[in-house]
Amino acid sequence: MTVSYTLKVANARFGGFSKLLFRWKGSIYKLLYKEFIAFAILYTIISLMYRRLLSEEQKTLFEKTAMYCNRYTDRIPLSFVLGFYVSLVVSRWWSQYTSIPLPDQLMMVVSANVHGVDDRGRILRRTLMRYANLSSVLILRSISTRVCKRFPTMEHVIEGGFMTREEQKKLEGLYSDFNKYWMPMAWFTNLASQARREGRVRDDVALRLLMDELNNYRAKCSMLFHFDWISIPLVYTQVVTVAVYSFFAVCLIGRQFLDPSKGYSGHDLDFYVPIFTLLQFFFYAGWLKVSMLAVDDMYQNLPPAEKDKYWNESSAQPPYTLATASETLKPSFMGSTYDMRMTEDSAQHYTVEPSPLTPRMQTPMLTRFLTAASPAISLKNFGRGNRGMLRLRGDSVNSNPWQAEERISEDEDEDEVDAEVEVQGKASQQSSSGSYPAKPRRLEASDQQKKREAFPQFTVTIDSPSSDSENTDA
């Protein structure tokens, strides 16, 4: 089981990584310490024998053997074989996690499409979801030791409220050589069809939506069963295991520190403790250890739909066995920031009100226009008495209306305009200070404009600059 540690390393500060590095629960130290101690003890025994018990002739033979073993340890492609194996196992582990059937989506579809405020409608909705949950319980208790301890027998499943006595008889009455986790899903489909005939499901589209979501739920249950059924090929697991253990068995001799006075190449120092060999053991053995942990008979054969055990309870709590009673003491995971303490700094609680001069929203296209605006085509020059035509550059009406060029046309016939827009603008106070001209307000489009919306050209009526605006520009 994975251990969440996100909150422990949420703040980047000096020494903060130590909270993660020295955690014991779920750590590599807890997983590997026994093998690590055994390897260190064996290495120490061989080293003491070489230094204290062997004769000079025996020492010479041992030294030649050690150099030979050290020379050929690189012939074992440990990094390649183990790296590929770990990649395969981790991807398989994550796929198993994403295949866990969660009832949320199915619950929403059932709630939205199975109607009725009376007891019958409520029974239908609760029974449909109970069948889905029963299927997940049946498949999980057959592949997970934790769930199997929680529900060791069918009596515990009944006691937990997932199944009734009548449903148990139906389940056990059907002979099958395979896991029958799919049987409650067959009940689900038949009960949904019955709800459609009763008018509780109002159309075939809603029924199809129920069936599609149930099939997604069933597919995840099936994938979990297949992951448990089809394991990583045993031959490949054996190859990786033999490669790792044989490598470190050879290292027990090949990585010994030899007498420096003999002048052997690469044996100028005697440190007694093989630091880098121990690190190799820690990494390679840790990788390996983590990786190895990692419709005819059923047609309309429905048990009677009845009120479930928790009908009158708003907060149902399934019972636990003695083997799993400790699970009730563990807090539910609420998110990595749930237990984070907030400081008393007022800056974390004060809401900033937007300034009237600050634009509340800017789009990339509008920003390009505003930063490249020229005083010659600024909105403040749209005055009274002049008429002109703005030609939009774009493939459709969704193009930016402010990337335009002005073209004056004195003899344009007023009956041929596509749309009429009145624009009023004020002069910019300080263009260098970063303030932007106000976006003109577009009036309601006429019927003619709605019919010819695909044309990117339209004519606008503008006013000549007032004297105040001219003074401002000066």
Side-chain angles (χ1 to χ4, degrees), residues 125-145:
R125 289 189 294 271
R126 293 175 68 95
T127 304
L128 288 173
M129 288 310 303
R130 186 166 55 80
Y131 286 161
N133 289 327
L134 176 58
S135 293
S136 62
V137 169
L138 293 179
I139 188 62
L140 290 175
R141 69 183 296 269
S142 64
I143 65 175
S144 172
T145 57

Side-chain angles (χ1 to χ4, degrees), residues 89-161:
V89 171
V90 171
S91 62
R92 179 185 173 91
W93 165 78
W94 184 250
S95 299
Q96 290 179 10
Y97 171 74
T98 56
S99 298
I100 296 177
L102 300 178
D104 304 68
Q105 291 182 340
L106 183 60
M107 172 193 66
M108 294 177 185
V109 174
V110 169
S111 177
N113 294 282
V114 182
H115 303 279
V117 296
D118 55 347
D119 284 352
R120 176 58 180 173
R122 189 181 176 192
I123 287 176
L124 286 174
R125 289 189 294 271
R126 293 175 68 95
T127 304
L128 288 173
M129 288 310 303
R130 186 166 55 80
Y131 286 161
N133 289 327
L134 176 58
S135 293
S136 62
V137 169
L138 293 179
I139 188 62
L140 290 175
R141 69 183 296 269
S142 64
I143 65 175
S144 172
T145 57
R146 294 173 62 88
V147 180
C148 187
K149 290 180 180 179
R150 177 80 179 274
F151 303 103
T153 64
M154 285 298 177
E155 292 297 326
H156 292 84
V157 177
I158 296 174
E159 184 67 19

Side-chain angles (χ1 to χ4, degrees), residues 357 370 378 380 426-437 472-473:
L357 300 178
L370 294 175
S378 178
K380 65 183 180 181
K426 293 185 179 181
S428 174
Q429 297 291 337
Q430 295 178 350
S431 59
S432 62
S433 63
S435 60
Y436 303 119
T472 303
D473 294 339

Side-chain angles (χ1 to χ4, degrees), residues 390-407:
L390 291 177
R391 181 160 59 93
L392 299 183
R393 291 180 178 178
D395 296 334
S396 65
V397 296
N398 293 329
S399 301
N400 188 359
W402 310 114
Q403 294 179 345
E405 64 177 8
E406 184 176 6
R407 186 176 64 185

Side-chain angles (χ1 to χ4, degrees), residues 39 46 69 243-254:
F39 179 81
I46 295 176
C69 293
V244 172
Y245 282 96
S246 62
F247 176 83
F248 288 106
V250 174
C251 286
L252 288 174
I253 298 176

